[in-house]
Amino acid sequence: MLRVSFITLIRALSGRNMSIFTQCLNPLTGVASWEEKDQYYDYHQEVARSAFADMLHDHERNKKYYIALKTAIEKKHRAGEEANVLDIGTGTGLLSMMAAKCGADTITACEAFKPMANCAAEIIRENGFEDKIKLICKRSTKMTIGKDGDMPKRANILVTEVFDTELIGEGALSTFRHAHEVLLEENSIVVPHKGTVWAQVVESSKVCAWNRVKPIKNGETLVDAPSTIQACSGAAAIHDMQLSRLPRDTFVPLLPAQPIFRFDWSGNKPLLNNEKVSLCTQPITSGTAHAIFMWWDLNMDTDDQVLLSCAPVWEHPDVPDKMKKDFSCLQKMADSIPWRDHWMQAVYYLPEEIPITRGVEVNLIGYHDEYSFWFKLLNGPINEIPDCQRPECNCWAHIAYSRTRIGQLNDAVRNQRYLRALRKKITPNSVCLCMSDGCLLALAVARLGAKVFLLEQNFLSRRTMEMFVQANELSDRVKIIESIDGLPEASEIDFIFGEPYFLSSIVPWENLRFWYLASRYPSSIMRMPITATIRAVAVEFKDLQKIRAPLGICEGFDLSSFDRLVQMSSENSDNPVEAQPLWEYPCKALTSCFNIIKLDLTRNVNFDERKKITGEIPILHNGSCNGVAIWVDWQLDSDISVSSGPIEEIVPGERVSWDPYTRQGVHLFRRIFNVMKKNTLSWSFSFVPQNGEVEFEFSISTNA
């Protein structure tokens, strides 16, 4: 369900309790309705979204913060000073408890999010540090110093983790700057001490496919991309990605990876909100520059002895140089470097593709404001760094469609399967109705000679498709319809098709919206796809389970109160199945893939039918069963299908290769099961067509 932003509070009939009514749009039916929720529903949503268990599962991060804190406290003590620690954004209180264990004289922790501050207070008390740590529930920028203030005097050690994938995106610059101005003594030690942003220019048609819509070709160009879309630099937001999972043979580094921005958190150098720098570099090979790969590292201590790196595997300092040149070895080494979903790498797309030549120097120019980076590449020497505004989409396509969807539109294999199936059905006399958002295949059908009605209910997608229609001079063959009220009569069409894809869909089966829309017409009208099969496989995720896995004891501290808080809120507000791009998250199959339900899309939805299906599938490989992956296979005709799941046959015990241009559904077990071949996965599926409710349940059972 998609919940819109406005919420109405009303009193329950008792006149005492409060209920929250949320307006929900069902992606399958397209019907908006009001749902009554517990009065604390908003609270539970906030808490569940604030979960950062994957960060606390990051042992390297925790260990290096611990080492740097211990070093800082000992350094102050050796100098004959007290060690007065300020922990900004304490979260669970973990770093403050580390400081206490390392012998800090005073510790002040601040946490602005009240539910988390309350949780931290409980954790600190349960671990026996209540008398050592003072907890302040406010933002650090609101803290006061003095006799009646939040701290009696300034601190001389600051520890904080206010970083995101883009390093500065959570307001690190203003947080550190304010701390030095108001909360810290001169010559304070800051953990971490420095931050360095690295950039690498690459050529990669695969990566570029997530950014610019390309023409659809079948020997000839069937659908061309408007010039405004081809020239657009793309969405302003970064494309965060687990770059270590990108096959090494899908990109070519054109410039060596190099530091482009350095931030001194210690206060010795000013932290500026706006900077621009230029790196004059010799290309290591010739090619076309498509994008910038970016990551960062932290020098945790003042002596630069402890480095925390977020580099991808081929540039990671812990990977031997000889292995970085072996593509097959790199894929194995990717499993050995620390996994972080909270600090991924980032892709920045260049405003325009730049051809560069080995031996001819280029200038990589980096810019940043208070929260974001962007880049420009220029051939040859420059006398002055030019100003450059942060790129923003001006073509509408990047606002209408996600990067995953743009990649899907550019998937040549997928497009060719659709075209083969469509060519069997389409004649120059065909009159077709396309029910999908942003379906360029509808224009390909028009190019093949058919007349096409295209339902586009979303304004942004409709405007984008109008650009494509005009650019391809198909206005006489394609009519865009704004709402279901404008759909043609059944007598006017002879073929209904879709990919299916809808902007409102999050998990693959929500694209069954196509079935609901098609059911407005007699089932005698030919349709494509003809069936949808929801399929699943039990898996052992290498890392993804950490985003939900309980912490228990973390670095010697009991954080079970945090586990209870997040689990309770998640159970109250989260769907047990979420969408994830599984190509970025390695997993091993523990069962064969199995069918949950096969739906006949050539027959209209039976709104009076309720489906409840149960089943079992044997475990075929020993391992830790921590999740189930779910997807949909769409059968276009008797011979051709497309999948939103694996791109190769699933083999129990082997890693699964996932489609990189869709997100799959994932059920993560709250308890991880060590399974053997004598175990089974039990499952149930319920579907209420009347209101579009879909529910999955999974459990591990032991055979007698």
Side-chain angles (χ1 to χ4, degrees):
M1 297 285 188
L2 296 180
R3 290 177 172 82
V4 299
S5 58
F6 59 93
I7 295 175
T8 301
L9 298 177
I10 67 168
R11 291 194 178 276
L13 293 177
S14 65
R16 297 176 62 187
N17 295 326
M18 298 291 287
S19 295
I20 292 178
F21 279 72
T22 63
Q23 191 180 48
C24 309
L25 174 67
N26 188 293
L28 268 69
T29 63
V31 175
S33 62
W34 290 92
E35 286 188 5
E36 184 177 359
K37 297 292 182 182
D38 178 86
Q39 62 176 320
Y40 300 112
Y41 177 76
D42 270 1
Y43 163 85
H44 289 307
Q45 275 206 318
E46 280 195 77
V47 171
R49 296 290 68 75
S50 72
F52 40 82
D54 63 296
M55 179 183 295
L56 295 171
H57 279 293
D58 185 348
H59 177 67
E60 186 200 35
R61 165 200 175 270
N62 298 341
K63 179 182 176 182
K64 290 186 174 180
Y65 262 97
Y66 214 155
I67 292 171
L69 258 174
K70 187 173 186 294
T71 301
I73 291 168
E74 290 176 348
K75 191 170 185 177
K76 286 297 181 184
H77 284 166
R78 283 197 305 271
E81 301 178 45
E82 288 187 346
N84 299 315
V85 176
L86 170 62
D87 175 8
I88 292 179
T90 194
T92 61
L94 178 64
L95 298 181
S96 287
M97 292 189 295
M98 287 179 179
K101 200 167 183 179
C102 290
D105 296 280
T106 67
I107 305 157
T108 304
C110 71
E111 173 57 53
F113 185 44
K114 188 172 182 179
M116 193 55 63
N118 293 338
C119 181
E122 186 173 351
I123 289 171
I124 289 168
R125 178 181 57 77
E126 290 173 344
N127 282 273
F129 296 107
E130 188 175 17
D131 295 335
K132 287 185 170 291
I133 300 171
K134 181 180 180 181
L135 184 65
I136 306 296
C137 184
K138 61 172 63 173
R139 293 183 181 276
S140 63
T141 52
K142 301 296 182 182
M143 290 180 64
T144 56
I145 305 296
K147 181 179 178 181
D148 298 319
D150 298 311
M151 292 193 299
K153 61 180 180 179
R154 295 186 178 213
N156 61 6
I157 297 175
L158 169 64
V159 62
T160 187
E161 192 285 279
V162 287
F163 311 113
D164 64 353
T165 291
E166 209 166 6
L167 185 66
I168 60 174
E170 290 186 2
L173 295 176
S174 58
T175 298
F176 281 108
R177 193 163 50 239
H178 175 270
H180 284 292
E181 291 172 356
V182 178
L183 305 175
L184 297 176
E185 296 177 356
E186 288 188 20
N187 301 317
S188 289
I189 299 175
V190 178
V191 178
H193 185 62
K194 297 175 184 175
T196 303
V197 174
W198 293 75
Q200 185 171 41
V201 178
V202 301
E203 175 182 273
S204 176
S205 57
K206 181 178 181 66
V207 170
C208 195
W210 276 299
N211 186 54
R212 287 188 176 92
V213 181
K214 300 177 181 178
I216 295 179
K217 297 183 178 181
N218 188 25
E220 59 178 343
T221 298
L222 292 177
V223 180
D224 207 354
S227 57
T228 52
I229 290 179
Q230 294 186 41
C232 184
S233 58
I238 62 164
H239 188 181
D240 53 343
M241 188 185 298
Q242 297 281 1
L243 282 180
S244 291
R245 297 301 166 187
L246 191 67
R248 184 58 185 80
D249 58 0
T250 60
F251 65 92
V252 178
L254 302 180
L255 300 183
Q258 52 199 318
I260 189 164
F261 287 109
R262 300 179 189 271
F263 297 97
D264 188 338
W265 311 126
S266 70
N268 293 327
K269 296 180 181 179
L271 293 170
L272 304 177
N273 279 354
N274 296 279
E275 286 186 285
K276 55 182 180 180
V277 299
S278 177
L279 298 178
C280 186
T281 311
Q282 289 284 342
I284 55 179
T285 189
S286 300
T288 301
H290 290 137
I292 312 292
F293 290 168
M294 185 279 279
W295 60 91
W296 49 263
D297 57 37
L298 296 172
N299 292 94
M300 302 301 294
D301 62 319
T302 56
D303 296 324
D304 295 338
Q305 296 299 303
V306 182
L307 181 71
L308 180 61
S309 176
C310 294
V313 61
W314 67 88
E315 292 290 343
H316 202 281
D318 292 342
V319 176
D321 288 341
K322 63 180 181 179
M323 293 185 177
K324 293 176 181 178
K325 299 177 182 179
D326 185 336
F327 287 8
S328 60
C329 185
L330 279 178
Q331 292 305 106
K332 297 176 183 177
M333 290 300 297
D335 290 345
S336 66
I337 64 174
W339 175 83
R340 299 185 173 101
D341 208 46
H342 47 286
W343 295 334
M344 288 190 272
Q345 298 82 37
V347 179
Y348 296 82
Y349 296 97
L350 289 165
E352 55 185 0
E353 298 177 0
I354 304 292
I356 62 178
T357 305
R358 183 175 181 177
V360 179
E361 68 179 26
V362 297
N363 276 276
L364 173 60
I365 305 172
Y367 306 84
H368 79 78
D369 56 21
E370 187 173 357
Y371 302 103
S372 302
F373 299 102
W374 62 98
F375 299 89
K376 188 178 182 67
L377 194 65
L378 296 175
N379 277 304
I382 58 173
N383 295 322
E384 184 179 353
I385 302 176
D387 290 329
C388 177
Q389 295 298 313
R390 185 184 177 202
E392 294 182 355
C393 173
N394 55 18
C395 75
W396 295 88
H398 300 93
I399 302 173
Y401 309 128
S402 67
R403 300 192 192 279
T404 300
R405 174 55 175 168
I406 291 173
Q408 191 177 69
L409 292 172
N410 288 325
D411 187 347
V413 173
R414 181 178 180 274
N415 287 339
Q416 289 306 313
R417 288 182 181 176
Y418 275 101
L419 289 171
R420 286 202 308 272
L422 286 165
R423 284 181 182 276
K424 297 178 184 180
K425 307 294 184 183
I426 301 299
T427 71
N429 297 321
S430 296
V431 180
C432 309
L433 171 59
C434 178
M435 292 176 163
S436 276
D437 291 340
C439 183
L440 297 182
L441 292 166
L443 277 61
V445 166
R447 184 72 74 193
L448 296 175
K451 181 179 179 181
V452 180
F453 292 98
L454 176 58
L455 179 63
E456 283 285 356
Q457 294 177 274
N458 180 276
F459 168 74
L460 293 172
S461 183
R462 183 166 65 248
R463 178 159 181 168
T464 303
M465 292 304 293
E466 287 171 349
M467 292 169 56
F468 273 94
V469 170
Q470 293 170 8
N472 287 275
E473 299 180 345
L474 290 171
S475 300
D476 59 332
R477 306 206 66 80
V478 178
K479 180 179 180 181
I480 296 178
I481 301 167
E482 296 185 8
S483 71
I484 55 177
D485 295 333
L487 288 172
E489 298 293 329
S491 59
E492 298 180 63
I493 58 174
D494 49 40
F495 183 49
I496 300 173
F497 74 97
E499 297 186 47
Y501 170 83
F502 295 91
L503 293 171
S504 60
S505 301
I506 298 174
V507 285
W509 48 92
E510 290 178 348
N511 288 311
L512 285 169
R513 172 95 173 109
F514 167 81
W515 191 24
Y516 280 78
L517 290 169
S519 293
R520 292 175 169 271
Y521 291 89
S523 58
S524 57
I525 299 177
M526 189 167 51
R527 298 176 187 174
M528 189 188 87
I530 57 175
T531 65
T533 304
I534 300 178
R535 311 189 78 192
V537 62
V539 298
E540 176 183 322
F541 286 110
K542 180 185 176 295
D543 294 301
L544 182 60
Q545 76 283 356
K546 295 174 186 175
I547 66 174
R548 299 287 178 266
L551 293 163
I553 303 300
C554 179
E555 310 304 329
F557 303 98
D558 185 355
L559 301 187
S560 54
S561 288
F562 173 76
D563 295 335
R564 290 191 295 271
L565 171 71
V566 172
Q567 181 171 337
M568 178 185 67
S569 291
S570 179
E571 289 175 350
N572 276 278
S573 64
D574 287 345
N575 192 309
V577 176
E578 57 190 287
Q580 294 286 353
L582 289 186
W583 76 270
E584 296 185 62
Y585 303 104
C587 66
K588 177 173 64 178
L590 300 179
T591 66
S592 300
C593 67
F594 57 94
N595 293 350
I596 290 179
I597 190 171
K598 185 176 182 178
L599 299 169
D600 184 354
L601 306 186
T602 65
R603 301 177 63 185
N604 285 349
V605 177
N606 183 348
F607 291 97
D608 298 324
E609 182 182 22
R610 301 171 67 95
K611 295 183 182 292
K612 177 75 173 181
I613 306 170
T614 61
E616 290 184 344
I617 186 79
I619 301 293
L620 298 179
H621 190 82
N622 298 348
S624 296
C625 187
N626 48 37
V628 179
I630 316 164
W631 68 95
V632 177
D633 284 351
W634 305 93
Q635 196 70 35
L636 305 185
D637 60 23
S638 58
D639 302 316
I640 303 172
S641 66
V642 293
S643 177
S644 62
I647 56 177
E648 297 176 1
E649 182 181 356
I650 288 180
V651 178
E654 301 293 330
R655 280 201 174 169
V656 185
S657 297
W658 297 101
D659 174 22
Y661 304 121
T662 54
R663 290 174 177 255
Q664 292 73 37
V666 177
H667 171 85
L668 293 173
F669 289 112
R670 296 195 180 276
R671 174 190 165 198
I672 297 173
F673 300 90
N674 292 319
V675 295
M676 298 178 290
K677 292 182 180 179
K678 66 179 182 179
N679 299 136
T680 58
L681 173 76
S682 301
W683 57 269
S684 69
F685 170 79
S686 63
F687 176 36
V688 183
Q690 182 68 41
N691 55 23
E693 288 184 2
V694 173
E695 291 185 1
F696 300 88
E697 291 184 7
F698 301 96
S699 62
I700 298 294
S701 56
T702 304
N703 293 336

